[in-house]
Amino acid sequence: MASYAVVASSIFLFLSALFEGTLQIRVTTLERVLVPLGGRGRVPCDIDPQSFNALYWSRKLGGGEDQRKTVVSRRDGRLTGDGLDSGDFNISEDNSLVINFMHLDLEATYICLVLDENWNDIKSTTDVIATVKPEAPPTISWGCGDKCRTDSAGDNYLNLTCTSDEAKPAVTLTWMTEKGTPIGDTGREVRDGAILKGTSVTTSTILYDVRRDTTLTCQAESEVIGRRHEDQRTEVKLYETVTPSDPPDITASCPDYCQSGLDVGTVLNLTCTSAESRPLSILTWFDPHGTPIEPLYSSVSLGSLTGAFQTVSTIQFNFTTNTSLVCRAEVSGDEVSGALATRIEITEEGIGTTVQRETLNAVTGVDPDTEVGPDIVTILLVAVSVAVGIVVILGIVVAVLYKKNKEYNVFPRSAKSYHRAEPDDYLRGYSEGAVKL
């Protein structure tokens, strides 16, 4: 009997220990919690079952696994801790850690540690991250690299760069076509934000072949703002060609005294600026004789329309007598071509009348009274007109001569009639011809 009692006691102890093991407390937390910077956050801690002796929320320090600092705790229904005193932390009824006002110094790994009824500690950790939502949608800029400084800037390729607003964590930028098809970028960069500490700015660059007028979209996405959010989407309109809307504009800079009149020897800086165009406008200065003037310097800048350029050309002019100069802007491309010009009158009289701008009504050239270099089309038209005129005149002369010869019949038509002709016949024919005239 005694042996049976020992066996029964052992089974009871084993089952009790096994039963106690299945009822030990489980502590579960999230892997990460995002809290808006300057906002209020909650870090959940699920404790099952709810019977335990104490709850400690600690902040992991930079050292080893067990190096931590308690920020707030609850034991016997009482809350204590430095975090409670500072107002940064609290513990809710469901055992969550409450962050009252999130700032960057509170970013850390937090530990939810529970002491069960046997004073065993069970814990789980959560990374708390401060977040910053972009306040504005991304911006799009464009350029043409080294091509902006050459005549080839009018080709179809454009460098387009999308730049996000400051954010935390960093956003992901995606380029898309009008149909929503993603476009692979040629470069991507993430750098530190310049205003808010801990934030990042993301840039994405594509090289796009503009074969027609189209619209591209740059979309910013992240855990904070979600996917395909309209407030974080920017569109850009691309133009294959941009026709100049106006002739070039001419401005003059000179010493102060030139406003009341120009003296011989006064040096003027004259600047010609084209209207926006794609391809870019080639600017050429001409003197009154149509001779090109070498510019002092030229430059190409980006226009307000994506893909359009603005060209600037400056010359230095030494005033000697009243004269006029012409600046011509010429565009040459597959879809758009032509030229527009502006004349500037430079005189020795009057404030505000020293420089007079005149817009010329020209589509493929400048004012006919101004010589601005040879126009091959005009030369060919003139040559053809002259040739046609000569042919018409020669035809008239030949017709008149033929008619006269037929009417007079002065000359014999054959050798036989020639031998039979008498001198009186010649005289008679001459006399009759004179009468008819």
Side-chain angles (χ1 to χ4, degrees):
M1 289 291 295
S3 59
Y4 286 110
V6 171
V7 171
S9 176
S10 299
I11 293 173
F12 176 80
L13 293 174
F14 172 78
L15 292 175
S16 298
L18 183 62
F19 183 76
E20 286 184 5
T22 58
L23 293 181
Q24 75 175 15
I25 290 178
R26 291 183 304 167
V27 178
T28 308
T29 58
L30 300 176
E31 182 179 350
R32 286 197 315 163
V33 172
L34 306 178
V35 182
L37 192 66
R40 182 182 175 90
R42 175 177 167 272
V43 187
C45 182
D46 183 33
I47 304 172
D48 185 32
Q50 286 287 329
S51 43
F52 53 88
N53 287 332
L55 168 64
Y56 295 89
W57 273 103
S58 304
R59 176 175 177 171
K60 188 175 181 180
L61 302 178
E65 181 70 22
D66 296 330
Q67 292 188 6
R68 58 183 182 266
K69 179 182 178 180
T70 300
V71 294
V72 63
S73 63
R74 182 166 64 196
R75 182 176 178 180
D76 298 331
R78 293 180 60 250
L79 295 176
T80 59
D82 294 340
L84 184 69
D85 297 337
S86 66
D88 290 334
F89 300 99
N90 205 335
I91 297 179
S92 64
E93 292 183 0
D94 64 354
N95 305 315
S96 298
L97 176 66
V98 177
I99 301 175
N100 292 318
F101 187 84
M102 185 65 190
H103 49 87
L104 291 176
D105 292 339
L106 298 184
E107 275 194 328
T109 299
Y110 288 86
I111 304 168
C112 178
L113 185 144
V114 178
L115 296 178
D116 64 12
E117 292 179 341
N118 295 321
W119 301 100
N120 297 316
D121 63 279
I122 305 96
K123 59 182 181 290
S124 183
T125 62
T126 297
D127 292 330
V128 175
I129 300 173
T131 65
V132 176
K133 183 179 179 179
E135 294 185 359
T139 59
I140 296 177
S141 59
W142 70 279
C144 50
D146 293 338
K147 296 178 181 179
C148 282
R149 295 183 289 273
T150 68
D151 292 349
S152 62
D155 66 10
N156 291 320
Y157 284 96
L158 291 178
N159 284 316
L160 300 168
T161 300
C162 182
T163 304
S164 74
D165 197 12
E166 294 187 359
K168 189 175 186 306
V171 304
T172 300
L173 297 176
T174 304
W175 284 96
M176 291 176 289
T177 64
E178 286 180 320
K179 297 181 179 180
T181 305
I183 304 172
D185 55 17
T186 56
R188 186 177 294 267
E189 180 186 9
V190 178
R191 62 178 185 273
D192 294 337
I195 300 176
L196 294 176
K197 180 182 177 182
T199 60
S200 301
V201 174
T202 305
T203 61
S204 173
T205 301
I206 62 172
L207 183 64
Y208 195 75
D209 186 8
V210 186
R211 293 293 179 181
R212 60 182 179 85
D213 292 355
T214 187
T215 300
L216 302 184
T217 301
C218 179
Q219 177 74 58
E221 299 175 335
S222 73
E223 294 178 87
V224 178
I225 59 180
R227 288 177 51 83
R228 303 293 175 96
H229 201 285
E230 291 185 0
D231 291 344
Q232 291 297 319
R233 182 183 306 160
T234 302
E235 294 182 347
V236 59
K237 177 73 174 178
L238 303 182
Y239 298 90
E240 181 185 7
T241 60
V242 177
T243 304
S245 57
D246 296 298
D249 182 63
I250 298 178
T251 57
S253 63
C254 57
D256 293 337
Y257 63 82
C258 79
Q259 296 179 0
S260 58
L262 287 176
D263 297 329
V264 174
T266 301
V267 178
L268 304 175
N269 284 333
L270 303 176
T271 299
C272 181
T273 304
S274 72
E276 294 186 11
S277 66
R278 176 173 176 83
L280 63 79
S281 297
I282 306 301
L283 296 179
T284 307
W285 284 93
F286 295 95
D287 65 14
H289 306 291
T291 304
I293 303 173
E294 187 70 23
L296 187 64
Y297 59 85
S298 300
S299 64
V300 177
S301 60
L302 307 182
S304 59
L305 295 176
T306 302
F309 302 92
Q310 214 168 23
T311 312
V312 177
S313 177
T314 300
I315 62 172
Q316 201 166 66
F317 181 75
N318 192 344
F319 178 73
T320 56
T321 185
N322 295 352
T323 187
S324 63
L325 304 177
V326 169
C327 178
R328 182 175 66 181
E330 185 175 1
V331 178
S332 179
D334 295 336
E335 302 295 333
V336 56
S337 62
L340 296 171
T342 301
R343 178 190 287 117
I344 183 171
E345 301 289 343
I346 305 174
T347 66
E348 59 184 2
E349 301 175 354
I351 299 176
T353 59
T354 301
V355 177
Q356 296 179 345
R357 178 176 179 271
E358 178 186 354
T359 300
L360 305 181
N361 297 321
V363 177
T364 57
V366 297
D367 186 54
D369 296 333
T370 305
E371 298 180 9
V372 291
D375 186 339
I376 186 63
V377 176
T378 303
I379 293 174
L380 290 175
L381 290 175
V382 171
V384 171
S385 300
V386 172
V388 171
I390 293 174
V391 171
V392 171
I393 293 173
L394 289 177
I396 293 173
V397 171
V398 170
V400 171
L401 292 177
Y402 176 77
K403 182 177 180 181
K404 294 297 182 183
N405 178 56
K406 186 176 181 180
E407 289 178 350
Y408 297 160
N409 195 20
V410 175
F411 299 100
R413 296 183 178 275
S414 64
K416 189 175 181 180
S417 62
Y418 173 78
H419 289 293
R420 291 181 178 178
E422 299 294 337
D424 292 341
D425 295 332
Y426 288 97
L427 293 175
R428 187 181 304 108
Y430 177 79
S431 176
E432 291 175 356
V435 172
K436 290 181 180 179
L437 291 175

